[in-house]
Amino acid sequence: MKQKKNNGTILVVVMVLSWSQVVDLKSSNTHTQDSVSVSLPGDIILGGLFPVHEKGEGAPCGPKVYNRGVQRLEAMLYAIDRVNNDPNILPGITIGVHILDTCSRDTYALNQSLQFVRASLNNLDTSVYECADGSSPQLKKNASSGPVFGVIGGSYSSVSLQVANLLRLFHIPQVSPASTAKTLSDKTRFDLFARTVPPDTFQSVALVDILKNFNWSYVSTIHSEGSYGEYGIEALHKEATERNVCIAVAEKVPSAADDKVFDSIISKLQKKPNARGVVLFTRAEDARRILQAAKRANLSQPFHWIASDGWGKQQKLLEGLEDIAEGAITVELQSEIIADFDRYMMQLTPETNQRNPWFAEYWEDTFNCVLTSLPVKPDASNSVNSTDNKIGVKAKTECDDSFRLSEKVGYEQESKTQFVVDAVYAFAYALHNLHNDRCNTQSDQTTDTRKHLKSETVWYRKISTDTKSQACPDMANYDGKDFYNNYLLNVSFIDLAGSEVKFDRQGDGLARYDILNYQRLENSSGYQYKVIGKWFNGLQLNSETVVWNKETEQPTSACSLPCEVGMIKKQQGDTCCWICDSCESFEYVYDEFTCKDCGPGLWPYVDKLSCYALDIQYMKWNSLFALIPMAIAIFGIAVTSIVIVLFAKNHDTPLVRASGRELSYTLLFGILVCYCNTFALIAKPTIGSCVLQRFGIGVGFSIIYSALLTKTNRISRIFHSASKSAQRLKYISPQSQVVITTSLIGANHNDLDGS
């Protein structure tokens, strides 16, 4: 139990436990899988989270074991064995483990991590303590699991993001051997998270360094949905923009993508033929399906793949796709083979490795056989037997006792093994320094923790018969957050592979990468990954050794080709890339980025470099097409004028008054305006004539229709009301009719202006 717990933390504890109880009730069908774990007693317990099984369909866990996950789990057990048998590290103190399966799923991993929280809260239960001689109570060494002091894992960044948010509430530090998402470096959110691998920020720099080395300035990118792909591609795009590398197409692979999605992505890439370089920041399974889609497309011009460590140097990923992947350049975390771990793995069998409840499944999957007699596993037998039944359907032979893991059966040390071992040793050295500072022991406190035991390991741990632990209460009860800041981040040592291991203040490991090229073997149909360079604070690449797909010389992936005549360059975002866009027919190319209007009466030359004056073409007054309309207009004006004069002479006669003289004058004026518009339409185009055309036609017809509408409405209202009432109607006086007509004319004129 931590020394300091405020009310807020206690409230969170209650809420988390309540939620976990609900999850347990609703997930009874996965209870068996939840109960399976690797639990080894010790004075200090380290938790472990590894993807032992792949994702399930309709269930958190699938039936197939994940080779990488099993190897990483065994790497943790291997490192724990070495530490427990090394007299120079934590003498008199045994490290125990509590390892769980995340099933490659972030939400399931979060549920599993609640076991670490519950184990930590068991400190409140005094039954797990003993006082053999009346001294300070100490944790029983035979406890299956105790309070978790720290956690190794998870592997996927999405898993670590979920788990880190939970563990930080209970001050449980976490060291991941594989999660590389950039956001995990944010100490305001993940203040107890560290990793023995670097963040993807450095990998993104390495990928852009490769592009610049080949003088590629125009590439496409594909990334997977999720924290790994999204944070990684974000850093890559930022680095590319700053270094004038243009992104032609940026595509995301949804988590539930089908073949149609991948075919669509390839189709979009083909629309940018100049971007022959394609950067993949994807999970391994997504990278394979992209290659499958490229093969289905039967590309006439192949893409040149530049891939992150999601692809890395996996051989199985490219089975059946070697011709499409040839020439690919991939980045992989620089790691060394730990020969002693290979010896450790090659001596394991299901009979001797009973502490790993999933090893039997791994064994059957590796050798494609069925174990007829499995060792008894009290806490995992149900799960193993159920899996046996599933595998037994496909298996054709029984497992032979002589089977052993070797290169002949496809065994190859997983690339993250070194980083799992480094994570365990980081905790061990930090705990050793904490022990020296907090516990008054007679042990030699001047031991150089930078040196590890070099002799061959006695792999299975030897638990001391002495029940009294050297882990004093001050050490066991030391706050996890203080341990992380004061001890874990300050460790520095040389690991089993001879590499330096240390953390920066963000908890990130050193950035070291191998640059690989997928090449065909000489005089053979086989393929291999060949190291063509390294990246450590800068790129070192031998371009002469690079092999390209169907190319004898280095291909180009140019940003943009020169634009054709009459086209300008348009920036694509804030990068150096451009797309060519045509100027409008009335515009000329002012500069390579701008089109400008030639202006009134001007038109661009064919080369679009300048403009010339247009000959103004208009109807001549002596044209037949002008004379006929003018004759009709003159006749109409004359007749209309005569009618106006007659109305004026007979202004007060009963006939004129009865016809509505005010509206009649308005109607005649509108007709006169319409006839006059004929001359404006025929005249030479000028600003004045164009204004008269636009204004006169609309106003003339508005006057006519408004007067007719008002007069018709007045007569209709009079006759309609005469049959009902003798009372005089409102708004039928001449003044009212003029006001109504004027209002309609104004309204119609505004509508014409708006259109």
Side-chain angles (χ1 to χ4, degrees):
M1 183 171 62
K2 304 291 184 287
Q3 291 176 326
K4 296 180 181 180
K5 283 190 176 180
N6 55 31
N7 294 334
T9 303
I10 296 174
L11 178 59
V12 171
V13 172
V14 175
M15 292 175 65
V16 169
L17 290 180
S18 300
W19 177 71
S20 66
Q21 291 170 356
V22 173
V23 172
D24 290 341
L25 289 173
K26 291 185 177 181
S27 307
S28 59
N29 60 326
T30 60
H31 176 73
T32 301
Q33 183 66 36
D34 289 346
S35 63
V36 179
S37 63
V38 179
S39 296
L40 302 177
D43 305 314
I44 299 293
I45 303 296
L46 292 182
L49 291 171
F50 299 101
V52 179
H53 289 86
E54 295 182 350
K55 290 182 181 179
E57 296 183 4
C61 302
K64 186 174 177 59
V65 293
Y66 190 39
N67 174 56
R68 281 184 165 190
V70 175
Q71 277 205 45
R72 292 174 189 179
L73 184 153
E74 289 295 343
M76 180 175 178
L77 295 176
Y78 162 80
I80 292 293
D81 290 343
R82 288 195 64 112
V83 170
N84 286 336
N85 287 281
D86 191 336
N88 295 324
I89 305 177
L90 296 172
I93 299 175
T94 302
I95 298 180
V97 300
H98 186 191
I99 303 176
L100 303 171
D101 180 11
T102 66
C103 294
S104 309
R105 191 182 296 272
D106 52 359
T107 52
Y108 183 72
L110 181 62
N111 185 32
Q112 289 285 73
S113 300
L114 291 174
Q115 296 189 42
F116 297 147
V117 175
R118 287 193 289 265
S120 296
L121 295 177
N122 281 341
N123 291 331
L124 301 174
D125 183 4
T126 57
S127 63
V128 298
Y129 286 89
E130 61 182 359
C131 301
D133 55 1
S135 60
S136 300
Q138 307 231 356
L139 185 66
K140 294 179 183 178
K141 272 198 173 184
N142 61 355
S144 61
S145 64
V148 176
F149 200 88
V151 172
I152 307 292
S155 293
Y156 293 107
S157 295
S158 57
V159 169
S160 292
L161 286 166
Q162 294 277 12
V163 173
N165 278 320
L166 174 65
L167 297 183
R168 67 185 295 270
L169 299 175
F170 303 94
H171 289 201
I172 300 176
Q174 176 186 358
V175 177
S176 171
S179 298
T180 57
K182 180 185 73 170
T183 190
L184 289 166
S185 299
D186 185 358
K187 293 301 103 176
T188 61
R189 297 173 57 197
F190 308 102
D191 50 344
L192 294 181
F193 179 86
R195 48 188 165 190
T196 51
V197 293
D200 287 330
T201 308
F202 296 102
Q203 185 175 185
S204 299
V205 174
L207 289 169
V208 176
D209 280 347
I210 295 172
L211 299 177
K212 296 295 289 185
N213 182 80
F214 297 138
N215 292 321
W216 288 0
S217 57
Y218 196 49
V219 297
S220 298
T221 63
I222 306 175
H223 69 280
S224 295
E225 183 178 28
S227 54
Y228 171 75
E230 291 176 357
Y231 289 124
I233 206 68
E234 178 187 356
L236 186 140
H237 283 177
K238 180 180 179 182
E239 182 70 17
T241 300
E242 292 176 353
R243 300 175 63 182
N244 297 326
V245 175
C246 307
I247 307 301
V249 177
E251 288 295 313
K252 178 172 74 172
V253 179
S255 56
D258 55 15
D259 287 346
K260 290 183 179 179
V261 173
F262 289 97
D263 291 338
S264 174
I265 291 174
I266 296 298
S267 177
K268 291 178 181 178
L269 296 182
Q270 288 181 281
K271 293 179 180 178
K272 299 290 184 179
N274 292 335
R276 300 185 61 191
V278 180
V279 181
L280 302 183
F281 222 114
T282 62
R283 298 185 296 265
E285 55 268 30
D286 289 340
R288 177 172 177 81
R289 297 186 70 181
I290 289 168
L291 295 177
Q292 289 173 336
K295 189 169 187 177
R296 288 194 297 270
N298 194 22
L299 303 174
S300 58
Q301 189 179 47
F303 292 116
H304 301 290
W305 312 103
I306 309 293
S308 66
D309 62 349
W311 176 335
K313 57 181 178 181
Q314 299 185 60
Q315 287 282 5
K316 208 166 187 179
L317 181 148
L318 304 179
E319 289 181 358
L321 301 169
E322 291 84 357
D323 57 330
I324 300 296
E326 183 181 1
I329 296 175
T330 65
V331 173
E332 180 65 282
L333 281 169
Q334 190 178 110
S335 60
E336 303 294 335
I337 298 297
I338 302 177
D340 192 43
F341 177 74
D342 284 340
R343 289 191 291 270
Y344 164 82
M345 289 293 292
M346 291 177 183
Q347 58 85 42
L348 292 179
T349 66
E351 289 74 21
T352 59
N353 188 16
Q354 297 187 32
R355 61 183 179 178
N356 183 350
W358 301 291
F359 193 75
E361 298 177 59
Y362 170 72
W363 193 264
E364 290 178 326
D365 182 70
T366 301
F367 293 100
N368 192 25
C369 64
V370 176
L371 289 168
T372 55
S373 58
L374 296 177
V376 178
K377 304 180 184 72
D379 52 336
S381 58
N382 291 337
S383 175
V384 173
N385 289 334
S386 63
T387 307
D388 291 340
N389 293 334
K390 294 178 182 178
I391 298 177
V393 175
K394 297 181 181 180
K396 296 181 180 179
T397 60
E398 295 182 1
C399 297
D400 194 291
D401 292 341
S402 62
F403 286 167
R404 293 294 184 274
L405 294 173
S406 65
E407 294 181 358
K408 294 181 180 179
V409 297
Y411 168 78
E412 183 181 4
Q413 187 172 135
E414 203 273 322
S415 61
K416 299 294 192 301
T417 297
Q418 176 184 356
F419 303 110
V420 176
V421 174
D422 290 347
V424 174
Y425 268 90
F427 266 113
Y429 285 134
L431 287 168
H432 183 88
N433 295 334
L434 174 64
H435 175 263
N436 288 344
D437 290 346
R438 294 286 169 172
C439 301
N440 295 321
T441 65
Q442 300 300 318
S443 61
D444 184 8
Q445 298 186 12
T446 63
T447 302
D448 184 5
T449 59
R450 293 178 57 88
K451 304 295 182 181
H452 51 73
L453 192 64
K454 287 288 186 180
S455 61
E456 184 173 322
T457 304
V458 179
W459 291 308
Y460 281 97
R461 64 215 230 125
K462 297 179 181 179
I463 303 297
S464 174
T465 56
D466 181 11
T467 60
K468 183 176 177 62
S469 170
Q470 296 298 319
C472 60
D474 284 348
M475 176 183 179
N477 296 333
Y478 195 73
D479 181 69
K481 188 170 186 178
D482 292 338
F483 172 77
Y484 174 87
N485 291 312
N486 299 333
Y487 292 94
L488 189 59
L489 292 186
N490 292 326
V491 297
S492 177
F493 59 94
I494 305 300
D495 66 7
L496 300 181
S499 302
E500 183 183 11
V501 179
K502 63 180 180 180
F503 303 105
D504 60 21
R505 295 318 298 175
Q506 283 71 43
D508 298 327
L510 296 176
R512 295 185 293 257
Y513 298 99
D514 284 330
I515 313 300
L516 309 169
N517 184 218
Y518 193 63
Q519 303 180 358
R520 182 191 292 270
L521 294 170
E522 294 184 7
N523 302 321
S524 172
S525 60
Y527 292 81
Q528 68 171 358
Y529 288 99
K530 181 178 179 180
V531 177
I532 58 172
K534 298 183 181 297
W535 193 95
F536 181 56
N537 295 327
L539 180 66
Q540 298 177 352
L541 184 66
N542 185 1
S543 301
E544 296 179 357
T545 61
V546 178
V547 173
W548 302 100
N549 192 348
K550 299 180 182 179
E551 300 274 0
T552 56
E553 297 182 357
Q554 178 182 308
T556 59
S557 190
C559 185
S560 294
L561 298 176
C563 292
E564 297 178 0
V565 174
M567 305 183 78
I568 60 169
K569 299 174 182 177
K570 281 195 172 181
Q571 295 289 146
Q572 197 173 20
D574 295 328
T575 67
C576 65
C577 286
W578 64 82
I579 57 176
C580 294
D581 189 30
S582 299
C583 292
E584 296 292 341
S585 58
F586 54 84
E587 294 178 329
Y588 71 100
V589 179
Y590 178 74
D591 57 36
E592 60 179 348
F593 299 106
T594 311
C595 289
K596 275 196 173 182
D597 190 345
C598 286
L602 299 175
W603 198 255
Y605 287 103
V606 177
D607 60 9
K608 292 279 188 176
L609 296 179
S610 60
C611 302
Y612 64 92
L614 287 170
D615 292 333
I616 300 177
Q617 297 180 359
Y618 59 95
M619 192 176 297
K620 305 298 183 180
W621 292 105
N622 57 359
S623 169
L624 181 64
F625 294 101
L627 293 174
I628 293 174
M630 284 192 297
I632 296 173
I634 292 171
F635 177 76
I637 292 171
V639 172
T640 304
S641 299
I642 292 171
V643 173
I644 293 174
V645 171
L646 289 174
F647 263 70
K649 286 184 178 182
N650 300 280
H651 181 72
D652 292 323
T653 62
L655 179 61
V656 173
R657 295 176 63 183
S659 65
R661 57 187 176 187
E662 291 80 7
L663 293 180
S664 296
Y665 283 129
T666 303
L667 182 59
L668 290 169
F669 177 73
I671 295 172
L672 191 62
V673 170
C674 288
Y675 281 124
C676 292
N677 283 331
T678 304
F679 301 97
L681 292 171
I682 296 174
K684 181 180 179 179
T686 62
I687 294 178
S689 63
C690 289
V691 169
L692 289 175
Q693 290 175 13
R694 183 174 179 84
F695 178 80
I697 294 174
V699 170
F701 283 104
S702 295
I703 294 172
I704 294 172
Y705 293 137
S706 298
L708 288 173
L709 176 62
T710 305
K711 180 179 288 191
T712 304
N713 177 263
R714 176 174 178 268
I715 296 172
S716 174
R717 289 178 59 207
I718 291 172
F719 281 99
H720 181 71
S721 63
S723 61
K724 296 182 179 180
S725 173
Q727 186 176 358
R728 181 178 175 83
L729 292 174
K730 295 180 179 180
Y731 308 116
I732 62 172
S733 64
Q735 294 81 2
S736 299
Q737 298 302 297
V738 172
V739 170
I740 293 173
T741 302
T742 305
S743 300
L744 290 174
I745 293 171
N748 289 333
H749 181 63
N750 289 336
D751 288 343
L752 289 172
D753 288 344
S755 63

